[in-house]
Amino acid sequence: MPEYQTFTMLQRHKAQLRDSVQLSGGIQLAAWFNSGDRVTNLSNHHTLSLYTEGGYDTWHKTPGGWRNGGAPDRFCLMPSGVESTWDLRADLAFVHLYCTEAHLRQLGEQIWDRSPASLALHEKIFADDDRITQLYRHFLLSTDWHSPANQLMLSSASTLLMTHLLQHYSTQQWQLPEVRGGLAPAVLRRVLAFIDAHLDSPLTLMQLAHEAALSEYHFARMFRRSVGEAPHQYVMRHRMETAQRLLRTTALPLTEIALRCGFHSSSHFSHRFRQLHGTPPSTWRQAMRHE
């Protein structure tokens, strides 16, 4: 897995690492808290940062002097090779996505089937983008990063974020190609069988796309056309339906059911089950036995 210079730099400063996870292909997410610190960032990779709490007294050094503009849901895009200096004078919580030019180039080749002669991202400081906020808040910040059951959602959201960067903040800004049809029936059967056979594993979008012999972008859209929901939504629903069947028809303990359905612990499984059904799985199981 790659070592990201911005991640290493923050660890040498006052920043407190709240969480971190490596996703498929080596992309990394990291959640940080920092305050009363001055840092200079210059790295060989791209960093997409979203402020989640505070940041009102965060200053960025510009040729014309220090500029303030931080706030929750503001984002900063720090491209590879571009130096930036920050003065954090009050509390700031933020989440980073780290990726390389190789990640973006590979994604561009998969989506558009061509390789750009040059690929650079534009620096953005204290900017607003509802799509970036939605992907971070709804997908990346609302779930346990370390649960195998959530890896598909995390990998899907990170791919969507990088696609958005290529579309709107790169030197290319190509329009997304239209995907008209769904998966061929035989391909869909193969993918669904693969999901069923690996329900206890941390499935990723890359794995499912590989099974269909498609790029992640085309697979995700063709899967939705065929099934009516995104891959991560289908997989989570299938996990929960399998768990319900096991609760209803077996005497397996909750921990075993959780592991079979891709949850890393019975507590995480219980939390998701309660979110969906309004009651813990143990209570639901007892109610089913008395019907």
Side-chain angles (χ1 to χ4, degrees):
M1 290 295 182
E3 181 175 310
Y4 291 101
Q5 294 174 345
T6 300
F7 183 89
T8 304
M9 178 273 295
L10 287 173
Q11 287 186 309
R12 293 198 302 265
H13 282 260
K14 295 181 180 179
Q16 301 169 23
L17 181 64
R18 289 180 165 175
D19 205 357
S20 176
V21 65
Q22 289 264 359
L23 303 178
S24 58
I27 298 157
Q28 185 173 354
L29 294 173
W32 298 93
F33 172 85
N34 205 354
S35 185
D37 201 2
R38 181 174 291 192
V39 298
T40 295
N41 184 50
L42 176 62
S43 67
N44 60 357
H45 61 83
H46 306 303
T47 301
L48 177 61
S49 174
L50 183 78
Y51 291 9
T52 56
E53 301 171 42
Y56 299 105
D57 207 8
T58 298
W59 297 76
H60 174 246
K61 190 175 183 180
T62 73
W66 291 94
R67 174 181 168 235
N68 170 265
D73 293 336
R74 296 279 170 83
F75 82 92
C76 299
L77 177 56
M78 293 163 277
S80 170
V82 177
E83 184 174 277
S84 56
T85 299
W86 307 84
D87 191 1
L88 283 62
R89 303 175 188 177
D91 292 356
L92 169 64
F94 54 101
V95 61
H96 278 173
L97 182 146
Y98 306 121
C99 66
T100 65
E101 180 182 333
H103 288 131
L104 294 180
R105 186 174 291 277
Q106 181 183 29
L107 183 62
E109 291 171 352
Q110 288 177 349
I111 295 174
W112 290 280
D113 196 27
R114 52 181 169 162
S115 180
S118 63
L119 180 61
L121 294 181
H122 304 305
E123 184 182 37
K124 293 291 178 180
I125 305 297
F126 304 138
D128 292 293
D129 188 312
D130 290 341
R131 181 60 170 160
I132 290 175
T133 298
Q134 178 202 33
L135 288 169
Y136 264 121
R137 292 277 187 189
H138 185 67
F139 294 105
L140 299 182
L141 298 176
S142 64
T143 189
D144 179 355
W145 287 358
H146 302 285
S147 171
N150 293 331
Q151 295 311 297
L152 182 55
M153 179 191 294
L154 293 174
S155 64
S156 299
S158 63
T159 296
L160 288 172
L161 273 171
M162 292 191 298
T163 302
H164 187 75
L165 295 183
L166 284 174
Q167 274 189 278
H168 299 282
Y169 301 107
S170 78
T171 51
Q172 299 302 320
Q173 297 192 12
W174 293 332
Q175 292 298 311
L176 286 175
E178 184 177 352
V179 177
R180 297 178 182 275
L183 298 171
V187 174
L188 180 60
R189 286 195 298 271
R190 186 167 71 245
V191 170
L192 297 184
F194 181 86
I195 291 171
D196 193 54
H198 297 84
L199 210 59
D200 60 343
S201 304
L203 293 166
T204 67
L205 191 62
M206 182 185 297
Q207 288 176 306
L208 300 185
H210 177 75
E211 195 65 21
L214 291 166
S215 71
E216 294 177 31
Y217 172 82
H218 288 89
F219 169 75
R221 279 150 185 79
M222 294 170 75
F223 186 94
R224 183 187 282 274
R225 286 288 181 95
S226 296
V227 178
E229 55 190 346
H232 75 270
Q233 293 171 321
Y234 172 85
V235 170
M236 183 56 71
R237 180 170 60 80
H238 190 46
R239 292 188 197 277
M240 297 307 296
E241 289 175 351
T242 302
Q244 284 179 265
R245 177 176 55 78
L246 293 174
L247 286 168
R248 189 172 56 248
T249 62
T250 75
L252 288 171
L254 292 185
T255 300
E256 177 64 22
I257 292 175
L259 293 175
R260 287 193 183 192
C261 296
F263 298 94
H264 72 305
S265 68
S266 58
S267 61
H268 181 237
F269 165 56
S270 296
H271 176 70
R272 291 303 297 258
F273 194 93
R274 185 193 291 268
Q275 282 183 321
L276 186 63
H277 296 285
T279 185
S282 55
T283 305
W284 188 90
R285 171 183 258 175
Q286 290 175 349
M288 289 297 103
R289 288 174 176 170
H290 291 95
E291 283 189 351

